[in-house]
Amino acid sequence: PAPAGLPGDPDPEEALSDDSSRHGGRVRGFPHERGNWATHVYLPYIAQEEFLELLELLVSRARTFVPSLAAMEEFHLSLSQCVVLRYHWIEPFVRCLRERLAAFHRFFCVADQVKVYTNQNKTRTFIGLEVSAGHFQLLELVSEVDGVLEEFDLPTFYKDPSFHISLAWCVGDLSGRLEGQCLRELQDIVDGFEDSVFLLRIQWEQVRCKSGNKYFSFPLR
């Protein structure tokens, strides 16, 4: 599944249209240009029924503070920023990723801390579950992904990343409404949710790369 809400490049033949009203008001982080493929490396998370029940509780409560919040439909943990690849770079980029990630083993992390995020240009606000355990292994993965990005002269990941799984989003910078009392109430829901200790302990089994409408999978050992 594609990570929701990313500025993708769905089809090289698609007309050069960038109407934000077609994307729930989302605005691209960079302009669409033919031959440029928006590319993102991430860990996919397949939501179970219990996770979706928790999501429904969190979004319902958060909407009492920000009614425009929309739940994410698919979930992931980012290992890179969204960067631009030229079409002829995709194959060598994926080959380099595959080589660098070949030795990595599956691992667990815990994502149980509710946090509010905004994107870099403050056009969207997110509620996410931040990782509280497993940070070291994630940094090791990012180091390898960064190495590939540097080979292609692309921006690397954030220097002090807050690894998280986004749960819901809205247009604009509404972080002020979601922090404080709302954030405390959401954390109470997570802490009190039945079996949340087991539910939010996640085993990562593969890394994925999305480049435009192409998907590549790198299974962990």
Side-chain angles (χ1 to χ4, degrees):
L6 290 171
D9 186 356
D11 193 309
E13 299 302 321
E14 184 179 289
L16 301 184
S17 171
D18 196 20
D19 182 359
S20 66
S21 66
R22 295 170 56 195
H23 312 289
R26 298 192 295 269
V27 179
R28 288 183 185 275
F30 43 80
H32 176 93
E33 182 180 328
R34 191 176 298 281
N36 283 351
W37 290 58
T39 302
H40 177 236
V41 183
Y42 61 99
L43 292 162
Y45 175 62
I46 309 303
Q48 305 299 315
E49 183 178 351
E50 294 86 351
F51 183 86
L52 296 177
E53 291 174 3
L54 173 59
L55 175 68
E56 185 177 355
L57 289 173
L58 292 170
V59 173
S60 177
R61 180 66 60 86
R63 279 178 179 155
T64 65
F65 294 85
V66 176
S68 61
L69 268 174
M72 305 295 282
E73 296 179 357
E74 293 164 343
F75 308 92
H76 68 275
L77 188 150
S78 291
L79 299 174
S80 79
Q81 300 186 59
C82 193
V83 298
V84 177
L85 278 181
R86 301 298 291 176
Y87 178 77
H88 60 278
W89 289 353
I90 295 174
E91 185 178 341
F93 181 85
V94 169
R95 186 169 59 247
C96 288
L97 269 180
R98 195 174 303 281
E99 291 170 357
R100 282 184 172 264
L101 299 176
F104 272 88
H105 291 265
R106 299 178 181 186
F107 66 97
F108 286 94
C109 75
V110 177
D112 60 357
Q113 299 300 304
V114 185
K115 192 167 180 179
V116 176
Y117 299 89
T118 56
N119 61 356
Q120 286 182 305
N121 52 8
K122 305 292 185 182
T123 59
R124 296 175 71 195
T125 304
F126 299 85
I127 296 172
L129 285 175
E130 186 182 32
V131 167
S132 61
H135 202 263
F136 177 75
Q137 292 93 328
L138 291 169
L139 285 175
E140 285 190 317
L141 272 179
V142 165
S143 177
E144 296 300 332
V145 174
D146 278 352
V148 176
L149 292 166
E150 287 171 346
E151 287 185 42
F152 288 80
D153 199 25
L154 294 169
T156 56
F157 204 40
Y158 308 107
K159 294 304 178 187
D160 186 21
S162 172
F163 294 110
H164 65 279
I165 299 171
S166 292
L167 303 176
W169 67 279
C170 60
V171 173
D173 182 0
L174 299 183
S175 55
R177 296 193 205 173
L178 293 170
E179 291 170 342
Q181 181 63 29
C182 177
L183 200 59
R184 288 191 291 272
E185 291 184 18
L186 297 181
Q187 189 64 58
D188 286 344
I189 291 173
V190 170
D191 293 342
F193 192 75
E194 185 178 4
D195 294 333
S196 65
V197 172
F198 304 103
L199 176 62
L200 301 178
R201 184 175 184 263
I202 302 164
Q203 183 179 40
W204 301 113
E205 299 184 349
Q206 63 174 300
V207 176
R208 282 189 185 160
C209 175
K210 176 183 184 290
S211 188
N213 62 345
K214 298 179 181 293
Y215 295 87
F216 306 92
S217 179
F218 314 95
L220 301 178
R221 298 172 63 187

